[in-house]
Amino acid sequence: MKTKSALSYFGSDSEVAKELASMLDHCSHVTIPFCGGLSILPHLKARAIVANDKNRAALNFYRHMNNPSTREELIELCQATLSHPDELADAQVILASIQNGTVVQAWAYWALCWIARKGKGGTKNQGGLPSVRRTASGGSNASRIRAAADDLHAWAKQFERCEFESIDFRELLVKVADNRKCGVYCDPPWVQAGMNYLHAFNGQDHEELATALSRFRQTTVVVRYWDSEFIRSLYPGWSFLEAASRNQCNAVKGEIWITNK
């Protein structure tokens, strides 16, 4: 696949997904409490995967991509999408006015993730204007959108491994077995920057996530965060790996990978 995410998401782990997934290679079952654009999915070796997210618009997209009777209609809509401000305006109207659950609404969410400037997916301010290239270097937004649409058949194969849920992480994580063949991959909203998400995290959320993960002894847990003393203080005794990825402005940003192994 040319695209690294099913949906172009804010704070995406697409640049480091392969390395993060390798930490869960031994797991037969992986739970993803904040699935977002599911960049990590193609790199996971697990036979069974639970993909969870509270963003109902994203889950509606995955629902129709997983449904053989509506998948082709959705892909055709995506393949016909222009890199044009009117497409974004139409998509925003559809999301706001049509009852949740339709194929057209699944297209609208996909369009908002891919047409607008990279890194707006899943945020409170999704939309804006297309990213129009004005120079002779690099590719174009049109080719990026087309590649994302053409890759959807391949992504659909990946989704077949997933069971999808849309519940709070507190309700989800208590159900996960503490077993050496199980894994949990968490890429939650980050401190400060994560406030841009539709479902933002505050300090208490970060603390309660750490508490929910602390019960696992055999299950492998991998957590991705922007490096901060606050986050480090929540995971005493855990291992910290310093890493880096590029943000939507192509700038290198430091991050930490936290694991109980």
Side-chain angles (χ1 to χ4, degrees):
M1 293 182 288
K2 293 181 180 179
T3 47
K4 297 179 180 179
S5 299
L7 296 169
S8 181
Y9 242 61
F10 176 72
S12 172
D13 56 358
S14 60
E15 295 296 324
V16 292
K18 184 176 181 179
E19 291 80 3
L20 287 162
S22 68
M23 300 168 71
L24 299 165
D25 278 352
H26 63 286
C27 299
S28 300
H29 185 285
V30 173
T31 298
I32 310 173
F34 314 96
C35 71
L38 277 175
S39 300
I40 200 170
L41 181 57
H43 306 289
L44 291 173
K45 296 181 179 180
R47 296 190 305 272
I49 296 166
V50 174
N52 178 80
D53 205 290
K54 290 176 69 175
N55 189 331
R56 293 286 183 174
L59 265 294
N60 183 55
F61 168 79
Y62 291 128
R63 179 184 301 115
H64 288 290
M65 281 299 301
N66 224 22
N67 186 344
S69 65
T70 58
R71 180 187 303 145
E72 291 305 317
E73 180 183 355
L74 174 54
I75 293 176
E76 287 178 6
L77 287 171
C78 295
Q79 290 176 329
T81 301
L82 290 175
S83 177
H84 192 284
D86 286 354
E87 295 278 58
L88 281 169
D90 290 346
Q92 288 174 320
V93 169
I94 288 169
L95 278 178
S97 62
I98 296 179
Q99 185 176 0
N100 189 32
T102 66
V103 176
V104 174
Q105 196 161 43
W107 165 81
Y109 191 74
W110 179 90
L112 287 175
C113 286
W114 283 104
I115 300 175
R117 294 184 183 277
K118 186 178 179 182
K120 293 293 185 181
T123 67
K124 300 172 183 176
N125 302 309
Q126 198 162 307
L129 293 172
S131 179
V132 180
R133 185 172 294 280
R134 308 292 183 181
T135 68
S137 61
S140 70
N141 203 47
S143 60
R144 184 175 74 99
I145 295 168
R146 182 67 192 196
D150 289 345
D151 275 353
L152 287 176
H153 285 104
W155 277 106
K157 291 293 185 182
Q158 295 291 333
F159 301 152
E160 290 175 359
R161 290 192 289 160
C162 297
E163 297 178 86
F164 288 92
E165 292 191 283
S166 187
I167 58 179
D168 188 87
F169 72 85
R170 300 166 186 85
E171 182 182 352
L172 176 74
L173 290 173
V174 296
K175 301 177 181 179
V176 179
D178 190 13
N179 184 287
R180 64 183 182 84
K181 298 299 288 183
C182 292
V184 175
Y185 171 63
C186 285
D187 185 14
W190 291 2
V191 177
Q192 296 179 335
M195 294 304 293
N196 292 321
Y197 278 106
L198 181 62
H199 298 283
F201 254 41
N202 58 30
Q204 182 176 346
D205 292 318
H206 292 292
E207 292 172 359
E208 292 183 2
L209 175 61
T211 298
L213 295 173
S214 67
R215 77 172 180 88
F216 294 111
R217 295 293 181 266
Q218 298 185 63
T219 293
T220 298
V221 179
V222 177
V223 190
R224 176 180 179 249
Y225 265 120
W226 171 70
D227 198 355
S228 76
E229 289 302 318
F230 170 62
I231 294 301
R232 285 180 179 263
S233 72
L234 299 180
Y235 294 86
W238 289 51
S239 298
F240 294 83
L241 303 176
E242 296 184 0
S245 60
R246 293 185 179 274
N247 62 17
Q248 56 265 33
C249 299
N250 205 35
V252 176
K253 188 173 183 64
E255 57 186 70
I256 49 173
W257 303 344
I258 310 169
T259 180
N260 61 345
K261 300 297 180 182

